[in-house]
Amino acid sequence: MELHDVWFVLIAVLWTGYFFLEGFDFGVGILTKLLARNRPEKRVLINTIGPVWDGNEVWLLTAGGATFAAFPEWYATLFSGFYLPLLVILVCLIVRGVAFEYRVKRPEENWQRNWENAIFWSSLIPAFLWGVAFGNIVHGVKIDRNFEYVGGVGDLLNPYALLGGLVTLTLFTFHGTVFTALKTVGDIRERARKLALRVGLLTAVAALAFLLWTQAHTGNDRSLVALVVAVVTLVSALAASQAKREGWAFALSGVTIVAAVAMLFLSLFPNVMPSTLNPDWSLTVTNASSSPYTLKIMTWCAGIAMPIILLYQGWTYWVFRKRIGTQHLAEPAH
């Protein structure tokens, strides 16, 4: 296996880790409107991700940086062609981080409500747009002979990509409901489990349609295996949630995300961005990659840094592993 193939796999792993972790993170933000009935319950939901949300975003920064260094042509075409949706995602992530920090800085009702609305929308919009972006990457976009995107924003809003956005939105919301059931106690835990069933059924329908479409369009034997795993684990996560096995439900919903993202990358390889104008103009792991020396240096750096990142992030989750409820909330200090 060549180094550019290795880095394609590593970038796929980074995006998978990001969607696994930020998926429930976005889901909890969406649940502040769908599940919480009052401000204390919103505080409980936000507190479940409070210690980890910023660490989860490290995976996005690493995935973007790795793409820039390992596949500069891919990075340039992707970020120039998808400039507007990626800018919207970036603004949402900035607003979301500010909202987490500033929400309780003042006691006024309007102040806190506005920041809570910001958390909801800045969670929902990226959850949808990431699916649209990856749907276009897999399905293909208008790339010319110079490897430049020559389409418009409207070209990105095609049926396949919009269905991909619906899948990530519902899947992340489902992932967030089972995480909430795992991390909370009392009435909010029971309502999260009931909501997980409704959201999970919608997710199953949308995901099955999207994955079958992907398999029919660009799939292969390996992507078919990932498709089967994604469907089986999603159904199993629903069953585990209803059986009050929240730990299993969360693990299985996470495996569903891993399998679904793996299917996209398996069906994409060896392309990184297919061209719908001419297959010969597609960006591949070969023509989009950096020099072998650059990839070699990156491999050594990744081998040293990745274990450290995994250790400190795993330690964070271990420290904040206990369930919480409204009875655990401290009086707000302004």
Side-chain angles (χ1 to χ4, degrees):
M1 180 182 287
E2 300 290 338
L3 277 180
H4 51 65
D5 298 329
V6 172
W7 272 97
F8 179 85
V9 174
L10 290 176
I11 288 172
V13 170
L14 290 170
W15 280 110
T16 302
Y18 173 67
F19 287 141
F20 180 98
L21 296 172
E22 193 85 311
F24 73 76
D25 198 323
F26 285 143
V28 171
I30 294 169
L31 292 180
T32 57
K33 284 283 189 183
L34 301 183
L35 184 65
R37 291 176 173 173
N38 49 47
R39 176 144 297 118
E41 289 190 351
K42 290 182 180 180
R43 288 181 61 194
V44 168
L45 289 175
I46 294 171
N47 286 352
T48 62
I49 59 174
V52 298
W53 68 267
D54 48 355
N56 294 344
E57 293 184 358
V58 170
W59 289 78
L60 172 62
L61 298 176
T62 309
T67 304
F68 171 77
F71 298 99
E73 287 281 359
W74 184 12
Y75 182 92
T77 303
L78 175 65
F79 279 78
S80 59
F82 293 20
Y83 180 82
L84 183 58
L86 291 178
L87 177 63
V88 172
I89 290 174
L90 177 61
V91 171
C92 285
L93 294 179
I94 293 172
V95 170
R96 192 166 180 265
V98 174
F100 283 136
E101 299 297 333
Y102 276 74
R103 179 181 55 88
V104 293
K105 294 297 184 181
R106 291 171 56 179
E108 290 87 346
E109 172 69 20
N110 287 342
W111 174 273
Q112 296 195 10
R113 184 175 62 249
N114 289 338
W115 285 120
E116 288 163 358
N117 288 335
I119 291 173
F120 171 76
W121 287 109
S122 60
S123 299
L124 185 148
I125 293 172
F128 176 75
L129 288 181
W130 278 128
V132 173
F134 270 82
N136 280 289
I137 291 173
V138 174
H139 192 264
V141 292
K142 295 179 179 179
I143 299 175
D144 65 11
R145 65 174 69 250
N146 297 316
F147 303 134
E148 295 181 359
Y149 178 71
V150 293
V153 175
D155 295 314
L156 302 178
L157 303 178
N158 56 79
Y160 176 82
L162 292 175
L163 179 59
L166 177 62
V167 170
T168 52
L169 176 59
T170 55
L171 183 55
F172 291 169
T173 305
F174 173 69
H175 199 38
T177 58
V178 295
F179 177 79
T180 299
L182 175 66
K183 289 289 294 178
T184 58
V185 296
D187 182 54
I188 193 170
R189 176 187 175 191
E190 297 299 322
R191 284 187 280 116
R193 187 182 301 116
K194 293 178 181 178
L195 182 60
L197 177 61
R198 298 195 294 271
V199 176
L201 291 175
L202 176 60
T203 303
V205 173
L208 182 60
F210 179 74
L211 296 179
L212 288 175
W213 193 344
T214 303
Q215 181 65 27
H217 181 66
T218 57
N220 49 55
D221 293 341
R222 293 168 297 180
S223 64
L224 180 59
V225 173
L227 185 155
V228 173
V229 172
V231 172
V232 170
T233 52
L234 178 56
V235 173
S236 300
L238 275 168
S241 177
Q242 298 313 298
K244 300 183 179 181
R245 302 294 298 272
E246 289 94 351
W248 278 105
F250 178 70
L252 288 166
S253 68
V255 174
T256 301
I257 293 176
V258 171
V261 177
M263 181 191 175
L264 296 182
F265 278 95
L266 287 170
S267 62
L268 183 62
F269 185 83
N271 293 322
V272 294
M273 281 190 77
S275 172
T276 57
L277 299 179
N278 187 330
D280 294 335
W281 299 344
S282 298
L283 287 167
T284 68
V285 294
T286 303
N287 63 26
S289 68
S290 294
S291 67
Y293 183 74
T294 300
L295 296 178
K296 184 178 179 179
I297 296 298
M298 289 177 61
T299 304
W300 279 103
C301 293
I304 296 171
M306 281 301 294
I308 298 173
I309 295 173
L310 292 173
L311 283 172
Y312 85 70
Q313 193 159 24
W315 177 78
T316 302
Y317 278 92
W318 174 256
V319 170
F320 295 99
R321 66 189 181 277
K322 292 184 178 180
R323 296 176 183 267
I324 61 174
T326 54
Q327 66 271 30
H328 300 118
L329 296 176
E331 288 296 322
H334 302 291

